[in-house]
Amino acid sequence: MRLQGKICLITGSGSGIGRSTAVRFAEEGAVVIVNDLNDRDGNETVAEIRSNGGEAFYYGANVTEPDKVEAMVADIIAVHGRIDVLFNNAGISGVGKLHETELAQWERVLQVNVIGVYIVSKAVLPHMMERRNGSIINMSSCIAEIGLAQRAPYAASKGAVLSLTKSMQVDYAPYHIRVNALLPGTILTPFVERYLKESYEDPEAGYRSLKARQLSGDLGRPSDVAQAAVFLASDESTFVMGSPFYVDGGATFGKNA
């Protein structure tokens, strides 16, 4: 029970990596605060956790809306007294070369992936600072470190998150708050499954292409990222600060022959 009694807020935890992490945190004894835009998905995550004997609560709020986020955080503090772990997981993808990307799409990706991290962290940090304790995990991507075709807006957003993580760590280390980033490779989430079906005439060929990027020879699973998040949320990682934590099957630093 590596997270026994910790109050953990996970944004975008109605599906994919967020849901897998919420379930895994609960298995480790955390009280999980599930946040999502989709009430049905969020409540399904809560139901899954509770059916396994865990403790979870759902809060619907858009991470890009400061008033809604502040109200959510205030309610969590009023009910639970604190937030020990914040996992800024909510995010969207963005496909396209820079010159092909419309401004509205560019702004939307950065709004959710970067400004969303800012808004939620800004609401949570004062409470962590008051208690002089906390762990923040920001969802970046290995794309922040490598070039990948037709991912300009997404790459820009995840690079910003990685840089923000390092800057936040310097600012909040005096308050004993740890801030780290997860950098997954391609993870087989519902989004990726849908992307394969919609973007390739032969989805299996697309799948083989994606697998070839990883030295592991396969895509990661949401549970792979969830396991890494457990470590960063737990007291086992007290000496891990401002770090990019790669969960990418070797995509960043390796290259298949």
Side-chain angles (χ1 to χ4, degrees), residues 11-13 15 17-18 36-38 62-64 88-96 101-117 139-141 143 150-159 161 189 191-192 194-195:
T11 66
S13 46
S15 64
I17 292 171
D36 205 87
L37 269 178
N38 187 307
N62 188 331
V63 298
T64 68
N88 283 307
N89 168 73
I92 60 175
S93 185
V95 178
T101 304
E102 296 296 331
L103 179 59
Q105 181 192 5
W106 186 275
E107 290 177 335
R108 178 61 179 161
V109 173
L110 268 67
Q111 182 76 23
V112 176
N113 294 0
V114 183
I115 297 178
V117 172
M139 182 62 85
S140 182
S141 166
I143 200 172
Q150 299 192 56
R151 296 294 188 280
Y154 186 72
S157 71
K158 294 306 183 179
V161 169
T189 61
F191 171 83
V192 171
R194 187 171 61 251
Y195 165 77

Side-chain angles (χ1 to χ4, degrees), residues 2-101:
R2 298 153 72 191
L3 303 178
Q4 184 66 50
K6 290 185 183 291
I7 311 299
C8 302
L9 169 59
I10 306 174
T11 66
S13 46
S15 64
I17 292 171
R19 176 177 288 184
S20 182
T21 303
V23 171
R24 190 72 190 88
F25 275 23
E27 290 172 347
E28 292 287 351
V31 177
V32 181
I33 310 300
V34 174
N35 160 261
D36 205 87
L37 269 178
N38 187 307
D39 292 341
R40 183 189 65 184
D41 289 348
N43 281 306
E44 285 180 357
T45 300
V46 169
E48 181 175 349
I49 290 171
R50 291 178 177 174
S51 69
N52 293 326
E55 191 171 359
F57 304 88
Y58 173 66
Y59 287 81
N62 188 331
V63 298
T64 68
E65 297 180 6
D67 292 346
K68 299 289 181 61
V69 169
E70 289 169 9
M72 173 182 69
V73 170
D75 198 12
I76 295 168
I77 298 298
V79 174
H80 300 281
R82 67 189 191 280
I83 296 174
D84 298 301
V85 177
L86 166 62
F87 182 12
N88 283 307
N89 168 73
I92 60 175
S93 185
V95 178
K97 300 175 183 177
L98 188 146
H99 76 281
E100 297 172 343
T101 304

Side-chain angles (χ1 to χ4, degrees), residues 1-4 6 24 28 85 135 178 180 226-241 245:
M1 305 297 278
R2 298 153 72 191
L3 303 178
Q4 184 66 50
K6 290 185 183 291
R24 190 72 190 88
E28 292 287 351
V85 177
S135 175
R178 296 182 298 107
N180 293 288
Q227 284 291 92
V230 168
F231 171 70
L232 293 177
S234 75
D235 295 337
E236 297 169 5
S237 59
T238 53
F239 207 58
V240 181
M241 305 177 72
F245 196 111

